[in-house]
Each structure stands twice: as structure tokens, then as C-alpha cells.
Amino acid sequence: MIDHSNDVFKTLMLVKRWDHHTASGGYSRLEEEIGQGKIIKPGRSPRLLSERNSRRVFFRVLPSARFINRYTFSDMLAELKVLYEIRRRNYSVIHSLYAEDQLNLLLTYKKYVRPSLIGTFHLPPETRYMRRILPQNKEDRFRNLDGAIAVSRSLANFYAERIGRDKVTYIPHGVDTSVFTPDQTVKEQLDQQPMKVLIVGSHGRDWDTLEHVIKGVRENNLPVKFTAVINQKGRVQFEPYPEVQLLSNIPEKELIGLYRKAHLLLMPVTFATANNSLLESLACGTPVISTNTGGIPDYLNEECGWMLPPGDAAAVYHLLEELAFNRTSIKEKEIHSRTWALNFGWEKITKQTLDFYKEIAGRSNENQNG
């Protein structure tokens, strides 16, 4: 955590945490790293009706909620708490950690919001939510933001055209490099074992490519063992391949052990900005095979992994086939993986975020005084 004793501004952070993130992972870690100001988190939404009927009632009461991704009654209450809080105390910055999921009332009533309003964006245009709102120009409401953080350069360019280039900056997602660490002894023990390939997560994953690769490994009897850490819903993708070890809802310590014991993380995607699994794997010294698309080039390079063309399942398979019998490049990339991941340590990301707070708050003060 960074010492903020000399900071003259107060922050109010609107936090949201996703169940699939590890205890030490996820963008909500920024809450702990900033370590100052007021934190507001949505509670659990009441379940008086089925989820579908609850959303229908909610959308009828608050039609604008239809155009916010995964926005719930509890998110609305959290925004109301923010509006109440800023009337009681003076804040310089309000930061929504998930702008697409949390910001509705604060944008609608922005003229009554004196602190600078900053939102972090995570979802690329290819996601289902963005494809739904873009034809209706519903993303225009984000113009009311005073500042925006994008977790990839491609996403920053996307929002710069819609919010304003002077308002948008790219600040990477972070990873806890003190928790996600390599174990060199474990790595050395892998030399005589079949190549262990780890698959983690489901968001934006290229299932067609994964299926092609797993099927090819089976048919050609390659010395490759797959382990997939995925939620219960995602297990259906692997039903035709019982040889893939499936794990769900495992403790963080066990996941870290899997990263360390793997030769590679296999993560082909159809879209991406930042990705927890990629950063966690690199921090554990495990190279990554992924796709040259979206934000992946911001977090992966040729020294610590491989980026292959989108949808090129054959290229992924042939790379695995080559690596299964010649692991020299894997060993070379292991050291660089950890070194590269250190660039995304939370202390560095926090400093960049605080600098942006000061820039936006200072600009807002100048506009108000002017």
C-alpha cells in the first residue's frame, strides 16, 4: 500500500467484486492499494422473485438500467449512497472501478456531482453488452465522465473517440506479485514429465480453437496433459474430452500451485482487454500462449509467450506439437515471464492511478474556478 499522508484530496471509490476472481486477484484490489478515502460496495440484491422476474420489475421501475451491464438493485443503492455521501463531505474524486457495470444515476445526475467522476472500462466492443448498446448510441452517456481509465490501449482509443482524448488514459490492470510467485524447484521437476498445459477462465475464450487443439492432441497421442480451471457452467465445453482434468471453485493457493506446475497457460481468445489469468500465470513464471488481438499485446510479448493470429487453431496446435518435444523456448521464457509481470505490480499501477486522479481533479478545479 502506498503512503498517502501528504495527499490533499479525498477519494470515494465505488467497488464491485466478481465471484470468479481469486482472493488476491481482480481489479477491486485497487481498493486495498489506494487505501484512503471512502469505499462503497453494493450489497447482495434481495431475491423476492426469480432472477428473470426481478430484472423485469427493476427495468420497469428504472428503464435506464437496461443499458448498464450487470446493473442490479444493489448497484443502484450503492450509487444513491455515493450521492448521499458527497452531500455530507467534500471529495475530490469518485472512482467507479467498473464503469460499464456501476454507473447510471451518477451519469444521469452528473450536474449535481461536484467531485471529479472517473470510471475504469474493461469491456471491448466485441462483447455482447457493447454490441447491444453501440447501435443505440447508449455509450454516449459516458461523455459525462470527467476522466476514464481503460485497461488496454485499444480500449483507450475506442473511448477516446467517444469521451474525448483529453479525458481518457491507459493504465494497465495489476497483479499481486508477492502472492503469485514462481517456485523454481517445482519447475525443475517438470523436465521429465509430459507437457502440462493449463486452461483457466472462460471470458472471451476461443472455444473452437481449444477444441481443435485438444482433439488434435488426442488423435496424435501427443505427450500433453490438459487441466482446465473453469466454472460449473463452462464444463460443458469439455464434455467430449474426459481426458481433460476439470476443476471448479478451487482455493487461490491451489490455483497458484497449478500455475507453478504448468509448463504453459493456453489462453486463445476471441476478444480481450486485460486478463487476470494471463497476469497471474506470468507472475508465477509460466509462459502463455494467447491471441494477437485486443489488449493481449499490452500484457504479453515474445519474450514471455506466444501470440498467434486470431482463430488460427492449426497454428496453436502445431506450436504445442513442437513444444511437446522441444521445451527449450519454454525454459527461456519462464524467467522473462516473471520479470515482465513485475511491470504490472500493484504499487506501480496505484501510482499511475493516483497521478491520474490528481490530473483530473486539478483540471476540474480549474474549470469550476474559471
Side-chain angles (χ1 to χ4, degrees), residues 211-252:
E211 182 176 7
H212 175 94
V213 170
I214 295 171
K215 185 177 180 180
V217 167
R218 171 201 282 179
E219 292 176 348
N220 293 286
N221 198 28
L222 294 184
V224 175
K225 300 296 183 183
F226 293 99
T227 297
V229 181
I230 193 166
N231 58 30
Q232 292 291 338
K233 186 178 180 180
R235 283 174 169 249
V236 67
Q237 304 290 343
F238 298 96
E239 283 183 353
Y241 306 100
E243 65 269 28
V244 178
Q245 180 186 19
L246 297 180
L247 301 170
S248 302
N249 303 318
I250 63 174
E252 179 180 84

Side-chain angles (χ1 to χ4, degrees), residues 116-318:
S116 299
L117 182 59
I118 296 173
T120 295
F121 290 90
H122 302 260
L123 299 179
E126 297 87 352
T127 56
R128 183 187 304 176
Y129 163 69
M130 293 301 294
R131 293 200 310 267
R132 179 166 59 84
I133 69 166
L134 283 172
Q136 304 174 67
N137 297 319
K138 295 300 181 181
E139 82 284 4
D140 282 353
R141 63 196 340 237
F142 291 122
R143 293 182 184 276
N144 289 336
L145 287 170
D146 296 296
I149 296 170
V151 294
S152 73
R153 288 185 174 88
S154 59
L155 194 60
N157 290 331
F158 174 82
Y159 276 107
E161 297 176 359
R162 288 157 177 81
I163 299 175
R165 294 198 173 275
D166 60 328
K167 292 183 178 182
V168 180
T169 191
Y170 158 64
I171 299 178
H173 198 297
V175 62
D176 191 332
T177 55
S178 67
V179 173
F180 295 92
T181 59
D183 187 325
Q184 193 57 40
T185 301
V186 170
K187 289 296 186 188
E188 291 173 357
Q189 294 172 352
L190 292 174
D191 291 345
Q192 305 304 318
Q193 299 180 23
M195 191 166 73
K196 295 183 177 181
V197 176
L198 183 62
I199 300 166
V200 179
S202 60
H203 185 66
R205 300 305 192 267
D206 184 346
W207 298 114
D208 290 341
T209 291
L210 281 172
E211 182 176 7
H212 175 94
V213 170
I214 295 171
K215 185 177 180 180
V217 167
R218 171 201 282 179
E219 292 176 348
N220 293 286
N221 198 28
L222 294 184
V224 175
K225 300 296 183 183
F226 293 99
T227 297
V229 181
I230 193 166
N231 58 30
Q232 292 291 338
K233 186 178 180 180
R235 283 174 169 249
V236 67
Q237 304 290 343
F238 298 96
E239 283 183 353
Y241 306 100
E243 65 269 28
V244 178
Q245 180 186 19
L246 297 180
L247 301 170
S248 302
N249 303 318
I250 63 174
E252 179 180 84
K253 185 176 181 180
E254 185 176 346
L255 177 62
I256 292 172
L258 291 171
Y259 283 130
R260 291 170 174 170
K261 294 173 185 176
H263 292 92
L264 299 165
L265 176 72
L266 178 59
M267 201 189 81
V269 294
T270 55
F271 59 81
T273 53
N275 188 279
N276 282 285
S277 304
L278 187 154
L279 285 172
E280 291 167 359
S281 181
L282 294 179
C284 290
T286 300
V288 177
I289 298 175
S290 192
T291 309
N292 190 1
T293 189
I296 297 298
D298 296 323
Y299 296 91
L300 188 64
N301 59 40
E302 62 182 11
E303 290 189 337
C304 57
W306 299 261
M307 286 185 290
L308 301 177
D312 195 342
V316 178
Y317 170 78
H318 289 308

